[in-house]
Amino acid sequence: IIDVPNNTLITSTLNQNNYTSGDKINVSAQAYDGTNYSAFNWSSTITVLDLTNPLVFNLVPIINTNYNTSQSIEISANVTEGIGISSVNVNITYSNGTSQIINLINTIGNKYNTSFIISNLTGRYNLTFFANDTSNNINNTETTYFNVLDNQNPIVFDLKPIANSTYNLSQSIEISANITDNVAVSSVLANLTYPNGTTQQLTLSLA
């Protein structure tokens, strides 16, 4: 019972953490003058609706971070919501325009994350986070990006001729090497230095 002067507006705020979307709350009111209750009895039913999008923050990777190809990195975000989180995903758009959606797992507190192994495709990777709550409110406005660089030198092995090999004048020989790279091999050159000090650059082709 609340004792108030005449013509007073009475308001009350409900704690949203005590309810879920779709809950119905019955509210009733009746005037009492200290001696008798009024004949008028007001009642109503309130339906709880969740219209607030989840909050998404503390994005990882930090925008414009540089990584190497084949590197394993963390992708994560903190997500909060008053009633409940249904799912958190990230859409990764590669530098060639293709994309991939990955589900983020709630690991601790409000943090959702996953491990991601970077492909051999260099360039900029764009990330868009999608947080969906149990009332189907979606926040898809938070974005970041990172850059993938190729900082690994090609590997060269199985050289021919073998060091200190002996050949005859006018003999035809093979000059070759096996070469691998984590992204792609652009060109292979061999610099040939003659006994008289002159040099010749040879272009090796893929056999």
Side-chain angles (χ1 to χ4, degrees), residues 84-105:
I85 299 296
S86 175
S87 64
V88 179
N89 301 299
V90 61
N91 187 316
I92 304 174
T93 301
Y94 296 81
S95 56
N96 63 359
T98 61
S99 61
Q100 177 184 8
I101 296 177
I102 298 177
N103 183 47
L104 303 185
I105 305 300

Side-chain angles (χ1 to χ4, degrees), residues 5-16:
N6 290 336
N7 299 319
T8 300
L9 176 65
I10 302 173
T11 63
S12 178
T13 302
L14 299 176
N15 185 345
Q16 66 175 357

Side-chain angles (χ1 to χ4, degrees), residues 99-120:
S99 61
Q100 177 184 8
I101 296 177
I102 298 177
N103 183 47
L104 303 185
I105 305 300
N106 184 208
T107 52
I108 183 172
N110 299 318
K111 183 177 181 179
Y112 292 75
N113 74 342
T114 189
S115 294
F116 177 71
I117 299 178
I118 299 174
S119 72
N120 290 332

Side-chain angles (χ1 to χ4, degrees), residues 45-123:
T45 300
I46 300 173
T47 301
V48 177
L49 297 177
D50 176 18
L51 303 178
T52 304
N53 292 334
L55 295 177
V56 181
F57 54 100
N58 289 348
L59 308 184
V60 175
I62 297 173
I63 194 167
N64 203 30
T65 303
N66 293 330
Y67 296 108
N68 294 323
T69 57
S70 303
Q71 187 174 345
S72 178
I73 66 171
E74 178 189 24
I75 296 176
S76 70
N78 282 21
V79 181
T80 59
E81 210 280 329
I83 294 181
I85 299 296
S86 175
S87 64
V88 179
N89 301 299
V90 61
N91 187 316
I92 304 174
T93 301
Y94 296 81
S95 56
N96 63 359
T98 61
S99 61
Q100 177 184 8
I101 296 177
I102 298 177
N103 183 47
L104 303 185
I105 305 300
N106 184 208
T107 52
I108 183 172
N110 299 318
K111 183 177 181 179
Y112 292 75
N113 74 342
T114 189
S115 294
F116 177 71
I117 299 178
I118 299 174
S119 72
N120 290 332
L121 186 66
T122 58

